Amino acid sequence: PGILAFLADSLLVLSFQTPLKKTNALIAQMGITFVNAYVPSALCCPSRASILTGKYPHNHHVVNNTLEGNCSSKLWQKIQEPYTFPALLKAMCGYQTFFAGKYLNEYGSEDAGGVGHVPPGWSFWYALEKNSKYYNYTLSVNGKARRHGENYSVDYLTDVLANMSLDFLEYKSNFEPFFMMISTPAPHSPWTPAPQYTKSFQNVSAPRNSNFNIHGKNKHWLIRQAKTPMTNSSIQFLDNAYRKRWQTLLSVDDLIEKLVKKLEVNGELDNTYIFYTSDNGFHTGQFSLPIDKRQLYEFDIKVPLLVRGPGIKPNQTNKMLVANIDLGPTILDIAGYDLNKTQMDGMSLLPLLRGDKNVTWRSDFLVEYQGEGYNGSDPTCPGLGPGVTHCFPDCVCEDSYNNTYACVRTLSASWDLQYCEFDDREVFVEVYNLTADPYQINNIAKTIDQEILEKMNYRLMMLQSCSGATCRTPGVFDPGYRFDPRLMFSNHGLRARRFSAQSL
């Protein structure tokens, strides 16, 4: 079968239904919506690396969006890129492969081969140099630089990606199956909508859920330091950003409609799997954090995942706990590749897509993030000391060196729970019962049953050192879980920063 994957950039799961009406009609209503889809790291480059490799960050070693953090570095190119799922699809499954859009944040850096570097596995390569833009960018066209300006009709990136993708579908070989990955800039900053959409959603503002603009009490210090209530200028800024993000998605909706129609005209739609997802979520005012990602909460780690294709019944929802490390194994499974030959941590979703009965599935997965910060103090926020970064004018900082955490996110018949430990001096622990507290307002680390803490602590240690099949062992609330009570909970935080820079 043909396979088509659309990847959004920083799309909050709660905010895609309204602007992406055609996408919902053409993918969700014609297939399956995974309502519990997550990323193991809520930041672009680590998350995209997880999609490509099918691995947790501690196994692919991409820890942030910098070359030093292994984002598109020479080490990444040497050790991980040859074993990504597109490389296997092309070499082992005979697929012609097409990539268009944002790859990894530091792709095209001169220190890592520039735009001349075309990763193994791609027959046709149209990759954006560096991070998301809509105008004034450079594309690597099969290793040759092509500069674009700011003329809407020829340069608006979402539309350029649409045209390149349509050309591929028009002229590709009909003797080989195809895989396409289209990675749009939207709805990432700078949130530049197409001219015809600049007046859309004028009355829309960011959702005012119960965790909006409140103090993050009993949370890690980085969350506690946010100014509450937010200033009027901050609220105006995030509402404006929210509107613009929606406006940029209207062009994505057009792109998806064009490609689905093209597949239909070609007679290929019924034999094509189509995926739509995002690299991470995004927050807009929750716990008084203006705008960003990187945090451990649902609004940053939960993403949309829609799939249609052969054998998938329409209008389904699935509540299984799935993660972006599952996309690579799923696509290889669709192509007929033996997953036992890979080192991937994820699981194939194909049995869930087909509606197979009695599927044994995970009940938990790992979330991990290594905080970023500057060595010096932020000159606009000297009171916060060294190590903070991504600070807003009113000194709300979105990240810091010790915003380094790992979590077990559990979803079973009996528990909807998140357990997190920080690698910092506080050795801070956050625990949320999402059944009673879906907006994660109340940290119950000090009141939850001690035995649950002990088991979750031990499970976290296991997942932080897992690889391949050991990442898929039974979770704490699975009948098959075995716990040694001698391994008592202790307040020493993470046993090792296994995904630290020293391990690169």
Side-chain angles (χ1 to χ4, degrees):
I3 307 166
L4 173 52
F6 295 104
L7 181 61
D9 196 343
S10 305
L11 177 59
L12 174 66
V13 73
L14 294 172
S15 72
F16 76 95
Q17 284 94 345
T18 303
L20 291 171
K21 283 188 164 53
K22 300 169 189 172
T23 302
N24 271 290
L26 294 169
I27 306 180
Q29 290 171 28
M30 299 304 293
I32 190 166
T33 299
F34 288 92
V35 293
N36 291 305
Y38 290 87
V39 296
S41 191
L43 189 62
C44 297
C45 208
S47 182
R48 287 162 184 264
S50 285
I51 290 172
L52 290 163
T53 62
K55 295 178 183 177
Y56 282 120
H58 69 264
N59 288 328
H60 62 58
H61 303 300
V62 177
V63 298
N64 58 38
N65 288 343
T66 66
L67 275 179
E68 297 74 25
N70 205 27
C71 180
S72 209
S73 68
K74 287 195 168 174
L75 190 69
W76 155 267
Q77 292 170 15
K78 179 181 176 184
I79 295 176
Q80 301 296 340
E81 272 187 347
Y83 306 102
T84 60
F85 80 83
L88 295 173
L89 266 186
K90 185 169 185 282
M92 309 305 293
C93 304
Y95 270 67
Q96 53 190 321
T97 56
F98 170 94
F99 182 88
K102 175 178 166 180
Y103 178 58
L104 300 173
N105 296 57
E106 285 296 324
Y107 172 74
S109 294
E110 287 305 317
D111 291 348
V115 295
H117 170 69
V118 177
W122 299 105
S123 319
F124 301 89
W125 178 252
Y126 302 95
L128 178 68
E129 180 189 38
K130 302 283 184 77
N131 206 357
S132 280
K133 288 184 175 180
Y134 299 80
Y135 294 112
N136 297 313
Y137 55 86
T138 297
L139 288 179
S140 170
V141 178
N142 299 316
K144 299 280 193 297
R146 181 190 292 171
R147 181 84 189 140
H148 280 263
E150 49 191 332
N151 178 344
Y152 170 70
S153 62
V154 293
D155 296 318
Y156 189 68
L157 182 56
T158 308
D159 293 352
V160 168
L161 300 181
N163 293 334
M164 289 172 165
S165 303
L166 290 168
D167 283 349
F168 171 73
L169 287 175
E170 180 70 26
Y171 298 113
K172 67 178 173 58
S173 163
N174 290 324
F175 300 103
E176 297 171 308
F178 70 90
F179 169 70
M180 302 177 72
M181 189 170 190
I182 301 162
S183 180
T184 62
H188 196 284
S189 61
W191 316 303
T192 312
Q196 67 270 32
Y197 295 134
T198 54
K199 302 292 188 212
S200 302
F201 308 122
Q202 288 301 302
N203 298 320
V204 167
S205 55
R208 267 44 172 184
N209 293 327
S210 53
N211 56 6
F212 179 81
N213 199 15
I214 64 167
H215 182 245
K217 61 180 181 179
N218 300 323
K219 289 179 168 45
H220 188 236
W221 77 270
L222 188 67
I223 310 299
R224 297 198 305 265
Q225 58 85 32
K227 304 285 189 299
T228 308
M230 288 183 286
T231 60
N232 288 338
S233 59
S234 283
I235 291 175
Q236 194 173 354
F237 174 73
L238 69 87
D239 279 339
N240 190 43
Y242 194 87
R243 274 190 294 277
K244 286 182 174 178
R245 283 164 58 80
W246 272 25
Q247 290 167 0
T248 66
L249 287 170
L250 292 173
S251 294
V252 176
D253 212 30
D254 293 340
L255 177 156
I256 289 171
E257 181 187 42
K258 287 173 188 171
L259 264 70
V260 171
K261 283 187 172 175
K262 182 65 175 172
L263 287 168
E264 193 169 26
V265 168
N266 287 1
E268 296 176 302
L269 183 57
D270 290 342
N271 194 37
T272 301
Y273 287 90
I274 304 177
F275 294 77
Y276 184 82
T277 191
S278 175
D279 57 358
N280 47 254
F282 201 74
H283 56 255
T284 46
Q286 291 91 339
F287 304 126
S288 302
L289 300 170
I291 55 163
D292 199 48
K293 48 259 183 168
R294 306 164 199 270
Q295 310 307 337
L296 56 88
Y297 307 104
E298 294 283 285
F299 43 73
D300 284 359
I301 63 171
K302 197 169 189 177
V303 292
L305 177 57
L306 319 173
V307 193
R308 69 171 285 176
I312 302 176
K313 293 176 182 171
N315 256 325
Q316 292 186 80
T317 56
N318 185 292
K319 294 182 178 177
M320 294 295 196
L321 194 59
V322 302
N324 72 2
I325 54 172
D326 300 332
L327 294 173
T330 303
I331 290 167
L332 289 172
D333 199 10
I334 288 169
Y337 188 72
D338 181 359
L339 297 179
N340 293 322
K341 294 179 180 176
T342 75
Q343 299 297 309
M344 294 182 174
D345 303 331
M347 304 168 69
S348 170
L349 302 175
L350 195 53
L352 302 183
L353 298 177
R354 289 175 174 158
D356 292 358
K357 303 297 181 191
N358 302 320
V359 176
T360 302
W361 202 253
R362 69 161 70 85
S363 64
D364 64 11
F365 77 100
L366 175 69
V367 181
E368 52 189 351
Y369 178 66
Q370 180 173 313
E372 245 182 295
Y374 295 123
N375 288 324
S377 296
D378 188 305
T380 60
C381 307
L384 289 173
V388 295
T389 185
H390 297 83
C391 299
F392 281 82
D394 45 3
C395 286
V396 179
C397 298
E398 294 278 2
D399 208 1
S400 65
Y401 278 128
N402 69 355
N403 185 39
T404 295
Y405 58 80
C407 308
V408 181
R409 180 72 179 87
T410 291
L411 186 62
S412 68
S414 51
W415 282 98
D416 188 355
L417 187 75
Q418 187 173 12
Y419 171 92
C420 302
E421 294 182 12
F422 281 84
D423 188 10
D424 64 2
R425 281 186 212 158
E426 277 189 290
V427 195
F428 203 76
V429 175
E430 293 188 31
V431 183
Y432 298 98
N433 175 0
L434 283 98
T435 306
D437 178 24
Y439 295 107
Q440 297 171 290
I441 293 166
N442 301 308
N443 178 8
I444 58 169
K446 292 189 170 133
T447 58
I448 196 169
D449 186 85
Q450 183 76 9
E451 186 183 354
I452 292 177
L453 285 179
E454 292 166 8
K455 287 182 176 180
M456 297 306 285
N457 169 258
Y458 180 51
R459 180 65 178 159
L460 182 61
M461 285 193 291
M462 289 173 63
L463 284 174
Q464 278 187 281
S465 57
C466 78
S467 178
T470 59
C471 298
R472 305 189 289 272
T473 54
V476 168
F477 299 107
D478 282 352
Y481 180 75
R482 296 288 174 265
F483 173 62
D484 183 345
R486 291 170 298 182
L487 293 158
M488 300 300 285
F489 178 79
S490 73
N491 288 325
H492 295 303
L494 305 181
R495 294 306 180 272
R497 288 172 71 165
R498 292 190 176 89
F499 45 99
S500 69
Q502 285 78 15
S503 68
L504 298 182

